[in-house]
Every structure is written in C-alpha cells, then in structure tokens.
Amino acid sequence: MNHLKDEKSPYLIQHRENPVDWYPWGEEAFGKALREQKPVFLSIGYSTCHWCHVMAHESFEDTEVAELLNRSFVPVKVDREERPDVDTVYMTVCQALTGGGGWPMTVLMTPDKKPFFAGTYFPKRSRYGMPGLMDLLEKTEEIWASDRNRLIQTGEDLVEIMNQRNETGGRQEPETLMEQGVEIFRERFDKRFGGFGHAPKFPAPHNLMFLLEYGSARGHRDCMAMTEKTLEYMARGGMFDQIGGGFSRYSTDDRWLVPHFEKMLYDNALLAQLYTQAYAITQKPFYREVVCRVLDYAERELLSPEGGFYCGQDADSRGEEGSYYLFKKGEIEEILGPDAEAFCRWFGITEDGNFEGRNIPNLLDNPKYERTRERNGEICGKVYEYRRQRMELHRDDKILTSWNAMMISACAKAGFLFGNARFIEMARRAEQFIEDHLYNGDHRLMVRYRDGECAFLGNLEDYAYLGLALIHLYETTFEAAYLLKATKLADEMVRLFWNMDEGGFYFYGSDDEELIYRPRQAYDAAVPSGNSVAAHVLLWLSRLTGEERWLRLLDQQMDFLAAEIGPDPSGYSYSLLVFHQIMNQGAKLVCVSAKEAAPDDFLEVARKNAGNNLAAVYKHPGNAELLSEAAPHTKEYPVPESGTQYYLCREHTCTQPFSDVTQLQHL
C-alpha cells in the first residue's frame, strides 16, 4: 500500500493499491523530492472520469511503469474536485503549453512545484502517433540526469509567463463585447441539431443562459431560436437519460444521441437552472418537465441522507463505458411484455441498435416527445428498476460546497417558480448541510466533506456560488436570514480573495497554501468562473440591499472583467450575462405587510417576473430587524397596521406607495 492509505477522496482511494508509490499533495511529497533531488510526477483526475480509469489500468497498475516512477520520480496524486486550486493552476499551464486540457492531467515539475511539462492522457507505450508514458518518463529521467538545469529553467520561464498572464489588458465596452459574443455564437451554431461547433458537444449552460436572457430582453429572435433548438435536442437525445432523468456529461456526436455516460452534479444543477429560466421566459411545459426530471434524479441518486448532494456517477459499469444505460430490444421485451413494442417505437429501440449493437433510448425521431411522461412514465419506471437491479454505478460520494451551492440555486429557483415545496425543502436542507458540515472551527468555509470530515480551505468558487445560492434562497423564501448570510459571506469573499490594487478576485484565499502563481480567472470553463459568479453576487446584493459598498465593488469587478475578456467573448458568457443584467436595469419591488406570510399577489408578481430581472424584497414585523441589518434602506419603509404596501423603483425613479395589486401588475 502506498501513501494514500489515510485519504478520504474516492479518487485517491481508487489508487491505494497501485504499485506506484503515490503521495497526496503536501509537504511530505515535496520534501522528499527536494531531499532526493527528484522531479515530481503529478497526476490529476477524479473518480468518475473514464479516461482516468483507462490510464490507471494501462499504466498505474503496471509494475514496469511503477518501477520507473518510484525509482526516478516522486509520484503525487490529486483529486481535482478536492483541490481545484492545484488543478486550476496546472490546468492553465497545460492549456498554455498544449492549447488544450482535460483529465487525467499529467504534469512533470521540479521539487519546488515549477512545471516543465504538461499533458493529459498517455498510453503506456507510443501508439497511433501518440507519445507513450514510458517514453516520456525515460526521456525525462535521462535529461534530469544529464541536463537538469534545462528543465529547471523551463519551469522558471513557465512560472514567469503564468504571472504575466495574470495581468489585465485594456478595457472594452460591455455592449461591444456582448454583440461580439452573440455574433460568434451565430457563426458556430449548428442549425440542424442545435449546439455550437461539432462533436463532442458540451451543454455549456451558461452560454445558453446568456443567449436566452439577451435574446428575450432585446427581441433577438435568432438568439431565442438558437437557445430553444439546443434545449430541445439536448433533452430529446441520449445525453438526457430518458429512463431515469438527469443529463450525462456531454455528447460524443453532433445530434446529442451518444453521450459520454458519466453524470456530474454540477452539469445537472446548471442545466436545471437553464431550463427553469427557459420556462420562466417561454412558459413551455416541456422545459418544466425536464427540470422536474433532473431534480427528481438528483434527489433519488445523488442526495445523501443528511441533505447534501454527492458529486456524480461513473460512466463505467462492469468495466465497460455506458453499459448500465444500454439495452437490447429483447431485454425490453422481457421486461415489458405486451407494452414493449409501443415503448420501443417511442424511444427508437430496434433489433440492430443505435450504439454498438445495443440501444440508447432517445426521442430524436419522435415528434410527440413532449408527452413522454404522460404516455410512458409508469413503464419507464419498470425499465428503471430493472436497470438498477441489473448492475450498479460507482458513485463519488464526496460532498462539495460549490457544486452543492449550484444545486441549491437550481432547487430554490425551480421550487419557487413551479410552486414545488419539495424542491424548496431540498434547497433548504442542502444549505443547512453546508452550514453544519462544511465550515471548520474558525468558521472558514471548506471545499469538501466526506466520511465525517471537511477538508481544504474554500476557494473563490465556493464563496461565490454559495453566496448566489443564499440570494436565490432569499428570493424563494423571503426569509431575511438568508440575505444576511449572503452579505456576511460576501464580506468574507472580499476579505480573502479581492485584489485591492486592480480589482478582480483571486482563485484561492490569502490564508491558503501559496502555489507557483495566484490566478484571477474570468474565463468560463465547464462551469462559470468564480469571478463571473462573484459579479452576479455583487450585482444582486447591490439591488436587494441598496448598499453602496456592493455597487462600488461591482463597478471595479466589471472593469476587471471587461479588461480580461479576450478576442473571443463567447468564452466569458456568464460575464456577458451580468453585463446584460446591469444594462437592462430591471425593477426593484419592496412589499411591506402586517402579515408574516408573503401575500399571494406579491408572490405571483415575483413568479411572473422571474425572467425579467426583478429584485423583490419582503418586510413584515417579524423580520424587520434582521432585514434592516442586511438591507439598511428597508428601515425607511413603515410596516402598516394592516394590509400591504408596495414600493416600486425603476431606472432611478420610484412610484408612490400603493396597495392595489392590479396597479402593481400594470406597472
């Protein structure tokens, strides 16, 4: 057994029995590398990653590879979900060196953590023009012995380049950036199947969130059409689990039929938010149905007994990618008997199959796809139960702060818009789980919880996503405690991560381990960047609380983002969304009532305007003191002895208070 024996990460646990003498990231590993003057072999991945499994089986379980690694390197294994700070820093290096990135990630570095080589997956031996891991290690061993200074100098140069990349450029106008981003999306749009570019196709919900709001508010029908076509085809294809609900990671083909079968919490949380927003704007029942099936899946398969959500489920089952989700037609006939033929027609299941002789259930050729739950809900349940009994999926049972915060937002927004108390309760419980289990003794937010332990100081994404989740919980429940929590968390976010000189937030805190450089990322990758989410937090705190300090920070943050966005603004879509929300000012509504429960008329207006940039605040005698602590301006609104008063402000102008809800609806 290697040095991973005491680790909690499911990914590191998977490598405990490797002949490679893995160390976790830490002083023990780098101290050994320094004493023995060996380079460090860093391998970063996560437990539900298919190609991480492939590389493990081919190389890390191989005694020849292990002998070379143990002899001439100090091997370090990192779970990218536990240490997103380490992953972010070295992924940036990998992208700078290779033009791309992904997992498993392979980095070679000096004992002082300076990288001189980075890549992703390597087979054991070279094949099909792809370099092999053994060749890479043997060459590195040779150069380290004969010309070590060359590798050390490469590491020094790369660190210098990374720190230069951290400097912001010239500011561009937000309107121009938004227009450029939309034009790039137009050019890349797949008119036939939706999505952007060619396979593999990733859902990138934040891109569609921007196009949806921008197109709706400005009357750009093509933006709406691009978004809706993509939403439809993603939900009709095999990337959406037609039997059990939830989305897989991405589609390997253009038409969204064949997924990469792993399911991740963050994808499903962000997609649920996207389809909820689409429903708010279009009122199309199909979008609501998709959201409900995603959240039902998350509750059924990712929710822990204590209320937190697990990370995700593996693509592999019984050593084969996707076999859990695939069916032969004969299997369906055995399960469903006389109902099988209609079921197979509905979901495109044939004798020949649509994927390697088996079938991925889908609705791509079904014009009546919107009636699936109505026509096949009970029958799908039978197939689902058969599937679960047939084999099991590995589940990564870490609970991550940032990903749970995304799901809290999804459940809260959907629960409020749909009037679904179960979803709201899921959001409340997950937030309480974070409060109870993901702070350390100093009340410092942490990254992950597993097996009774929270670990690793929270980074910007943890604070920003949780701040936004607390805002969404406030907008759902109108409980002032959530808004006050959001303001206090944002204060901590500024204290720990804010760059006082140039604006923008650093990825890891001022109290955390110092790495080779301290990034301030604005680019949106698989999820919106911490800086773009932080901008949304500052915007909505400024609107809900009326506090000038949030507005001042927002102005500086928007200057930073505008300077960061490069020649392809489509890669910064969540920043473009906050630009749009700032320029499309929306309205602020304060409702003051003698009753503790928010009036139905007020809630109905808030629901109807969920897609219209409305900031809504509710005050009553029981929350007046707490609300005034979070939003001091609310002290000025007197609580009536009976009935309800409304105050509406728009474009720096406020109406007279009024109590007639029909007047409110008109305004």
Side-chain angles (χ1 to χ4, degrees):
M1 185 175 289
N2 51 41
H3 290 77
L4 303 180
K5 59 183 177 63
D6 296 323
E7 295 300 308
K8 299 283 190 182
S9 157
Y11 178 61
L12 270 55
I13 289 170
Q14 288 171 351
H15 292 81
R16 276 180 181 171
E17 305 298 331
N18 289 172
V20 176
D21 189 17
W22 293 113
Y23 285 78
W25 180 278
E27 289 306 314
E28 184 179 6
F30 290 101
K32 174 182 170 70
L34 187 62
R35 286 192 308 275
E36 299 180 7
Q37 283 298 292
K38 291 180 178 178
V40 172
F41 175 87
L42 173 65
S43 177
I44 302 178
Y46 57 103
S47 78
T48 59
C49 166
H50 171 69
W51 286 102
C52 298
H53 301 330
V54 173
M55 191 167 177
H57 295 323
E58 289 179 344
S59 295
F60 303 144
E61 295 171 7
D62 182 90
T63 55
E64 186 181 16
V65 173
E67 182 182 352
L68 176 52
L69 277 172
N70 297 341
R71 179 180 71 238
S72 298
F73 299 84
V74 176
V76 173
K77 180 62 77 171
V78 167
D79 183 337
R80 66 112 174 175
E81 296 165 359
E82 281 195 337
R83 294 300 304 264
D85 52 344
V86 175
D87 179 63
T88 296
V89 166
Y90 291 101
M91 183 61 74
T92 306
V93 172
C94 183
Q95 290 167 337
L97 287 175
T98 68
W103 301 275
M105 179 161 52
T106 303
V107 183
L108 298 173
M109 63 177 75
T110 62
D112 57 354
K113 306 174 186 175
K114 294 174 181 174
F116 53 81
F117 177 88
T120 54
Y121 162 79
F122 294 93
K124 179 184 174 182
R125 293 288 183 187
S126 300
R127 63 170 187 251
Y128 310 125
M130 183 183 294
L133 183 62
M134 286 294 291
D135 306 289
L136 171 65
L137 296 177
E138 288 165 354
K139 187 65 174 176
T140 303
E141 181 184 42
E142 175 189 327
I143 298 175
W144 188 260
S146 62
D147 194 7
R148 183 179 308 178
N149 287 336
R150 176 154 64 99
L151 298 180
I152 292 172
Q153 188 59 51
T154 298
E156 298 281 354
D157 293 343
L158 276 171
V159 170
E160 185 176 349
I161 290 168
M162 290 299 104
N163 281 292
Q164 289 172 354
R165 285 164 60 97
N166 214 24
E167 299 172 4
T168 57
R171 186 184 187 279
Q172 302 180 70
E173 287 302 316
E175 187 67 42
T176 301
L177 291 169
M178 286 190 289
E179 290 172 357
Q180 289 174 349
V182 169
E183 188 56 38
I184 290 168
F185 284 124
R186 286 191 184 110
E187 291 170 1
R188 295 176 182 170
F189 181 64
D190 180 348
K191 295 179 181 178
R192 189 175 179 192
F193 299 117
F196 303 92
H198 301 290
K201 282 185 176 176
F202 290 81
H206 36 292
N207 293 345
L208 297 168
M209 289 176 186
F210 165 63
L211 287 172
L212 183 66
E213 280 205 26
Y214 184 88
S216 171
R218 301 192 177 208
H220 287 291
R221 293 183 180 178
D222 62 334
C223 291
M224 292 296 293
M226 287 190 289
T227 303
E228 291 209 65
K229 182 155 196 138
T230 306
L231 292 174
E232 177 189 325
Y233 271 82
M234 286 195 303
R236 291 175 69 179
M239 196 183 80
F240 184 70
D241 180 0
Q242 305 295 339
I243 305 302
F247 285 91
S248 291
R249 182 70 191 87
Y250 60 86
S251 176
T252 63
D253 66 338
D254 283 339
R255 65 194 299 253
W256 308 99
L257 173 64
V258 181
H260 178 51
F261 289 94
E262 66 179 317
K263 286 180 178 176
M264 306 301 290
L265 178 64
Y266 64 85
D267 285 314
N268 282 283
L270 293 173
L271 284 163
Q273 292 181 48
L274 168 63
Y275 280 88
T276 299
Q277 187 70 357
Y279 176 79
I281 290 171
T282 69
Q283 295 294 298
K284 291 186 177 179
F286 178 62
Y287 298 147
R288 173 176 175 155
E289 179 66 26
V290 172
V291 176
C292 290
R293 295 199 66 199
V294 168
L295 298 185
D296 287 348
Y297 155 74
E299 180 183 31
R300 206 169 47 238
E301 301 200 30
L302 297 180
L303 185 61
S304 74
E306 301 89 353
F309 289 92
Y310 300 130
C311 284
Q313 291 172 309
D314 209 329
D316 293 7
S317 39
R318 293 182 179 171
E320 181 184 1
E321 184 182 4
S323 60
Y324 176 84
Y325 298 98
L326 303 174
F327 297 94
K328 288 186 176 292
K329 187 177 181 182
E331 282 183 283
I332 299 297
E333 290 170 343
E334 288 181 17
I335 303 164
L336 299 181
D339 294 325
E341 193 59 38
F343 181 89
C344 289
R345 281 199 307 272
W346 192 269
F347 288 108
I349 293 172
T350 65
E351 291 287 354
D352 295 335
N354 54 29
F355 178 68
E356 298 179 354
R358 288 177 289 176
N359 291 276
I360 302 169
N362 72 93
L363 299 166
L364 290 170
D365 297 318
N366 186 339
K368 299 179 181 179
Y369 62 91
E370 294 181 2
R371 299 181 61 190
T372 291
R373 179 68 73 93
E374 170 194 337
R375 289 276 300 271
N376 292 281
E378 185 177 340
I379 296 174
C380 283
K382 292 181 182 178
V383 178
Y384 173 77
E385 287 304 323
Y386 165 82
R387 190 176 73 178
R388 292 193 75 174
Q389 293 169 14
R390 181 178 61 171
M391 62 185 76
E392 292 185 357
L393 290 172
H394 163 70
R395 181 171 62 193
D396 186 323
D397 60 358
K398 294 192 311 298
I399 296 175
L400 300 176
T401 297
S402 61
W403 296 8
N404 270 256
M406 295 177 205
M407 187 54 82
I408 291 167
S409 290
C411 292
K413 290 161 76 78
F416 178 68
L417 190 62
F418 305 158
N420 188 310
R422 178 166 56 91
F423 293 162
I424 295 172
E425 182 59 22
M426 285 162 61
R428 285 181 180 277
R429 287 189 68 216
E431 189 279 330
Q432 190 62 51
F433 181 92
I434 292 175
E435 183 70 33
D436 293 342
H437 298 290
L438 276 155
Y439 285 90
N440 67 11
D442 298 323
H443 208 67
R444 173 70 156 86
L445 191 61
M446 306 296 276
V447 171
R448 77 104 169 104
Y449 173 91
R450 185 176 185 273
D451 196 20
E453 176 195 82
C454 69
F456 310 112
L457 295 178
N459 55 66
L460 174 60
E461 289 184 353
D462 296 304
Y463 280 79
Y465 277 107
L466 183 55
L468 195 57
L470 289 165
I471 290 169
H472 291 147
L473 267 171
Y474 173 71
E475 293 175 320
T476 295
T477 65
F478 295 102
E479 293 178 14
Y482 287 126
L483 185 58
L484 184 58
K485 276 188 182 183
T487 63
K488 292 185 174 181
L489 192 71
D491 281 331
E492 279 293 282
M493 180 174 74
V494 172
R495 183 181 72 83
L496 291 166
F497 305 100
W498 182 248
N499 181 315
M500 299 295 293
D501 299 322
E502 298 176 337
F505 292 89
Y506 290 110
F507 188 87
Y508 60 85
S510 55
D511 59 344
D512 209 341
E513 174 189 359
E514 186 175 349
L515 300 174
I516 56 170
Y517 84 108
R518 197 176 176 202
R520 285 180 296 157
Q521 280 194 318
Y523 182 82
D524 297 326
V527 300
S529 70
N531 266 293
S532 63
V533 178
H536 284 260
V537 171
L538 297 174
L539 170 63
W540 286 96
L541 283 181
S542 71
R543 287 183 171 175
L544 291 167
T545 71
E547 287 278 79
E548 281 294 318
R549 62 190 172 118
W550 302 124
L551 194 56
R552 288 194 300 271
L553 285 165
L554 176 64
D555 288 342
Q556 290 178 267
Q557 180 69 354
M558 300 322 292
D559 285 342
F560 164 74
L561 291 173
E564 277 290 294
I565 296 176
D568 184 358
S570 67
Y572 302 80
S573 57
Y574 210 64
S575 294
L576 299 184
L577 177 58
V578 79
F579 286 149
H580 168 70
Q581 290 183 350
I582 290 170
M583 298 176 76
N584 179 34
Q585 291 185 5
K588 179 171 182 177
L589 175 65
V590 178
C591 176
V592 187
S593 176
K595 296 181 179 180
E596 181 174 338
D600 290 341
D601 291 338
F602 167 69
L603 296 176
E604 184 63 21
V605 169
R607 285 193 187 97
K608 284 184 176 179
N609 288 276
N612 292 336
N613 222 4
L614 175 70
V617 176
Y618 182 63
K619 179 179 178 180
H620 60 84
N623 78 353
E625 184 176 348
L626 208 58
L627 186 62
S628 67
E629 187 178 350
H633 76 287
T634 60
K635 291 179 183 177
E636 302 168 8
Y637 296 95
V639 177
E641 292 184 7
S642 63
T644 300
Q645 289 286 306
Y646 296 101
Y647 301 82
L648 185 68
C649 298
R650 188 181 182 91
E651 296 180 354
H652 309 294
T653 304
C654 298
T655 66
Q656 288 289 327
F658 53 89
S659 57
D660 183 357
V661 76
T662 59
Q663 184 180 358
L664 173 62
Q665 290 169 341
H666 172 71
L667 289 168

